[in-house]
Structure formats: structure tokens, C-alpha cells
Amino acid sequence: QGAAAACGRKSCQPAKAARSGREHTPMDVAAQDDEPSGIATGWWFNVLRSVLVFANVQVVAMETNHGCTAFECTIEERLPWYVFDHLFTVWFLADLVIAVASLGPFRYFRGDPLEDKMGLNVLNILDFVVVILRAVDVWILTSIGIDTGIKLISLLRVVLISRCARHLQLHRGFRELWLAVDVAGNAAKALVWVSLTLALLIWVSGTFLAKVVGRDHTTPYNFGRSAW
């Protein structure tokens, strides 16, 4: 114990590297020094965030089944749902402010330099946009009588539950949950690229067929004679 106490952090690194079978590279040291810390990366913060996100989904589902279904609902008919809208908007904004203040604006939007190869944390940026749009819809547009339904995009915050599952991957009983979440994330990325590729192929094929096959100048169709 005395030798371990006398051994400093930097002087012990060669011994640890020798025991691990490799030397510490500058990238390893940078990754250790740049490792995020704060409330936003804690276990309880992510659990509370997941609970609020799931509760928001349940409230939206209950409003869909039991809320006012008329085109013009009075304030008295929607009063309980108005209260929930404001509460969840405040909670989501508080969640966002705590996360940005804990990690810092630069780290929150740029993400981990090793994991986020694009130099941007896409999930954090999308979450920021979703929360701001919900606040604008609930506190500005709704107050002047414009019902846009933009707040419904806050249901996409359910993706943040994956961060709670990441903390559970170290527990033996939840490893399968993290594997399922990880596989779903990789499959979603693959589906995005497949969808973009198919959209490009459909656009090119449609343009080619419209120029080569669909262009018939001999028998033009007169839409003025149609019934509609």
C-alpha cells in the first residue's frame, strides 16, 4: 500500500501499460482526459429523464383516447391536458438546461471526439430542436389560437431511453437489453442509408422514364374536360 501511495499517476502508467500488454498512446490519454463528467452523464439523471419521457408518451396516448376530439375544443374541456402540456414543457426545458450546463455547450453539441466522427452529436442537436419547438408551440402558438401539433414531435425523445440502457449494460441481468438497443440503433442507421439510396434510385428512374417513355406529343391530354 505504501508503494502504491508513493507511486504517482504518471509514473505508474508504464507499469500499468506493461501489465496490460501495451503502451498508452496519446489518443488513450486524450480520451481519458476528455471523458465527460457531470450530472447529465449520471445514472439517476438518465433514469429520471427516461421516466419523464415515458410519462409524456402515456399522457399523449391518454389524451388521444379520452381527450376532446372536436375541431374546436373549449379551454374547460382541455384544461387537464393544458396543465400536462405546460408541466412537461417545463420539465423538458429544465432537463435540457441541466444537460447543457453540466457538459458545457461545446461538449453538448460537439459530442465525444472519438464516438462522434462527424464532429457533431446529432442526438443532442435533435433533442435541443425538439424541446425548443415544443416550448414555442405550447407557450406561443397555442396562446394565440394556432394549433399546430408540433408538440407531438417530443414523442421522439423516447430515443433518449437508450442512454439509460447504456448504463445498465454493466449489470449482468440487463446485458440483453443493451444488446437489443444497440442492434436497433445500428439497424436504424442502416435503414436511413438504404432509404436515401432507394429514394435516389426512384428519382433517377422516374426522371428517365418521364423523359423517354412518358413524353408523347402526338396525343396530348386535355385536363379541362375532366369531371373534377
Side-chain angles (χ1 to χ4, degrees):
Q1 295 179 353
C7 180
R9 180 181 178 182
K10 294 183 179 179
S11 61
C12 287
Q13 286 182 353
K16 293 179 180 179
R19 288 196 300 268
S20 62
R22 67 178 184 88
E23 296 181 356
H24 286 283
T25 62
M27 187 66 70
D28 296 333
V29 177
Q32 292 176 359
D33 295 336
D34 201 30
E35 186 176 355
S37 60
I39 300 177
T41 58
W43 156 254
W44 290 110
F45 180 83
N46 285 277
V47 170
L48 179 60
R49 169 187 281 175
S50 301
V51 170
L52 292 177
V53 169
F54 185 75
N56 178 51
V57 174
Q58 294 302 312
V59 169
V60 172
M62 292 174 61
E63 182 181 4
T64 303
N65 293 330
H66 307 289
C68 178
T69 57
F71 290 101
E72 295 182 359
C73 301
T74 62
I75 297 180
E76 290 77 12
E77 292 174 334
R78 287 209 71 249
L79 183 59
W81 311 113
Y82 276 131
V83 173
F84 279 118
D85 288 344
H86 289 286
L87 284 177
F88 280 110
T89 303
V90 171
W91 287 336
F92 289 164
L93 280 175
D95 170 10
L96 183 65
V97 170
I98 292 174
V100 174
S102 176
L103 297 175
F106 182 82
R107 185 56 183 266
Y108 181 83
F109 293 105
R110 295 296 299 272
D112 192 339
L114 298 180
E115 293 183 1
D116 302 308
K117 304 299 182 181
M118 299 175 56
L120 295 173
N121 192 313
V122 179
L123 185 58
N124 284 346
I125 293 176
L126 292 178
D127 184 51
F128 180 85
V129 174
V130 166
V131 174
I132 296 300
L133 288 178
R134 179 187 173 92
V136 171
D137 181 42
V138 174
W139 289 341
I140 298 179
L141 298 180
T142 303
S143 61
I144 61 178
I146 301 177
D147 187 10
T148 61
I150 297 178
K151 66 179 182 180
L152 295 178
I153 65 175
S154 63
L155 297 176
L156 297 177
R157 299 196 81 212
V158 72
V159 180
L160 298 177
I161 298 179
S162 62
R163 295 184 174 177
C164 182
R166 179 179 297 181
H167 287 273
L168 294 174
Q169 64 176 321
L170 299 178
H171 297 273
R172 183 175 301 176
F174 295 95
R175 289 178 181 175
E176 290 76 10
L177 173 63
W178 167 246
L179 289 176
V181 172
D182 189 43
V183 169
N186 293 329
K189 295 178 183 178
L191 287 176
V192 169
W193 290 112
V194 170
S195 301
L196 292 176
T197 304
L198 289 177
L200 179 61
L201 291 176
I202 293 173
W203 178 65
V204 172
S205 301
T207 303
F208 176 78
L209 292 176
K211 295 292 289 184
V212 177
V213 181
R215 186 66 60 88
D216 186 4
H217 299 284
T218 59
T219 57
Y221 185 80
N222 185 5
F223 288 96
R225 296 182 179 180
S226 59
W228 48 271

